[in-house]
Amino acid sequence: MNNHQTALVLGATGGIGGAIAAALLRHGWQIRGLARDAAQARRTAPQQLAGIQWIAGNAMQRDAVVRAADGAAVIVHAVNPPGYRDWDKCVLPMMANTIAAARAAGGARVVLPGTIYNFNPSTSAVVDGDTAQLPRSRKGMVRVAMERQLLGAAPEVPSLILRAGDFFGPGARSSWFAQAMVKPGRPLRRIVNPARGSGHSWAYLPDLAEAFARLLDAPQRLRVIECLQFEGLVDTHGHALIDALNRSAGRTLPVFRFPWWLMQALAPFGGFPREAADIASSWQNPMRLDNRRLEELIGPEPRTALDEAVHQTLVNLGCVPQCQERAPLVTAMMR
């Protein structure tokens, strides 16, 4: 347990940032959270984030990030522009501000939740620390540039990158699970399956956050630049989540294919269709993340039972009541 170190979490009001902050609090860290409206963040933060010291500031303002990071050993960079607007224009300046703050703090370690978009899914069936980064999407190119910023700051600024598949779990509202597969706030009546091929890789946020906390509890074991993979759920045939959703609902639900053709048609107009079309290939060619180095450092990867993980996600989204019992396996028909 770490009973004295301080971490600044950028993006603590979001899904992955909030999950990492909660995990670090459980591990005894002192946590600061940067928020544009600190008073609102303090009022609306869930119970598991009650111990955060909220600081008013914007990740696009370098001076604000530097002040918030003063004395911190770790800066978790889990921030995105509001509503993901101007993502490609804001992301790199925000990372530059984080690196500047880490340098000013005397070499704080920058922690970055990574993605699979850095890689070409048609040629990288398995991703490890040596896999060539050859992105096919705009999002992937920006992600590669972010990691290059961290590489360029070493060894003065150490870093930890932990890549994972698509998120699901409590708090993961900007996710394919919450935005496509189910409808938050409504009872489960149908499922939309985005998979275009033979499966997909998923990461349950509480498990991923726990892995981050265990890594940061033993900084002496980390390389100056530590780049790891979180395996999570490898849904090999593309039906594991569907079956778990059926069990949580207690009945067979109709399953509809995600309208990728419509995303391609509407992509020129921007917004969600453009972003979806940009990373469509990652749903057609599944990738598995090789977690051997991660498990060398922390032991077995944290793994919540799938049914429990899906059920808690649905409870958090308001799709099923907390007390609802999960049913035996039922198989859905794709439409």
Side-chain angles (χ1 to χ4, degrees):
M1 295 287 285
N2 189 320
N3 295 310
H4 63 279
Q5 293 279 58
T6 297
L8 169 64
V9 180
L10 305 178
T13 58
I16 181 59
I20 294 174
L24 290 175
L25 283 168
R26 291 194 305 271
H27 281 243
W29 286 72
Q30 297 175 10
I31 304 299
R32 300 172 190 161
L34 189 71
R36 286 177 296 277
D37 189 334
Q40 181 181 8
R42 195 175 299 112
R43 287 194 307 270
T44 59
Q47 181 60 38
Q48 61 266 31
L49 298 182
I52 287 186
Q53 176 192 357
W54 292 101
I55 299 172
N58 189 323
M60 285 293 291
Q61 298 171 347
R62 179 166 298 190
D63 289 347
V65 182
V66 169
R67 286 194 300 270
D70 183 35
V74 164
I75 304 176
V76 178
H77 188 94
V79 65
N80 281 295
Y84 289 83
R85 292 185 297 272
D86 296 322
W87 191 86
D88 52 347
K89 298 176 183 177
C90 296
V91 168
L92 296 182
M94 286 193 294
M95 177 56 81
N97 292 344
T98 293
I99 291 171
R103 188 175 285 116
R109 184 178 291 272
V110 176
V111 174
L112 176 65
T115 73
I116 60 175
Y117 302 131
N118 306 46
F119 306 96
N120 183 341
S122 64
T123 59
S124 302
V126 179
V127 173
D128 61 22
D130 297 321
T131 303
Q133 298 193 41
L134 301 170
R136 296 183 58 184
S137 64
R138 291 179 301 103
K139 188 182 292 292
M141 292 174 187
V142 173
R143 280 282 178 175
V144 170
M146 290 174 69
E147 294 192 13
R148 286 177 178 163
Q149 284 178 297
L150 290 174
L151 290 173
E156 187 179 4
V157 175
S159 58
L160 165 63
I161 301 168
L162 181 56
R163 299 194 183 96
D166 277 303
F167 301 154
F168 72 106
R173 293 181 177 269
S174 296
S175 66
W176 280 93
F177 188 100
Q179 293 182 310
M181 296 187 72
V182 302
K183 289 185 177 294
R186 299 184 186 181
L188 276 177
R189 292 194 174 93
R190 69 172 193 166
I191 304 168
V192 176
N193 188 2
R196 305 174 70 194
S198 57
H200 199 65
S201 288
W202 296 88
Y204 183 54
L205 274 191
D207 291 344
L208 177 60
E210 176 64 19
F212 272 111
R214 293 183 190 178
L215 288 165
L216 293 172
D217 276 346
Q220 70 281 0
R221 302 190 64 190
L222 301 178
R223 300 165 179 155
V224 172
I225 301 171
E226 191 70 73
C227 189
L228 307 170
Q229 280 63 235
F230 181 87
E231 184 180 62
L233 167 66
V234 184
D235 190 354
T236 307
H237 301 293
H239 297 295
L241 273 184
I242 303 295
D243 292 339
L245 283 165
N246 280 329
R247 289 192 292 271
S248 192
R251 63 189 186 280
T252 301
L253 298 169
V255 180
F256 295 84
R257 292 184 175 88
F258 184 77
W260 287 106
W261 64 271
L262 184 60
M263 299 300 103
Q264 294 288 347
L266 296 178
F269 300 99
F272 176 75
R274 184 184 69 176
E275 299 305 315
D278 188 45
I279 53 86
S281 60
S282 67
W283 286 93
Q284 189 170 13
N285 300 282
M287 287 183 279
R288 182 177 68 79
L289 293 113
D290 185 337
N291 67 351
R292 284 177 294 178
R293 171 64 180 163
L294 173 65
E295 293 197 331
E296 286 178 9
L297 292 168
I298 66 170
E301 185 179 289
R303 291 183 184 274
T304 299
L306 178 58
D307 279 12
E308 178 65 17
V310 168
H311 188 69
Q312 290 305 320
T313 304
L314 293 172
V315 168
N316 181 261
L317 291 172
C319 296
V320 299
Q322 175 75 53
C323 59
Q324 180 169 308
E325 294 184 3
R326 296 178 290 283
L329 173 66
V330 285
T331 301
M333 296 298 292
M334 183 75 75
R335 295 187 179 182

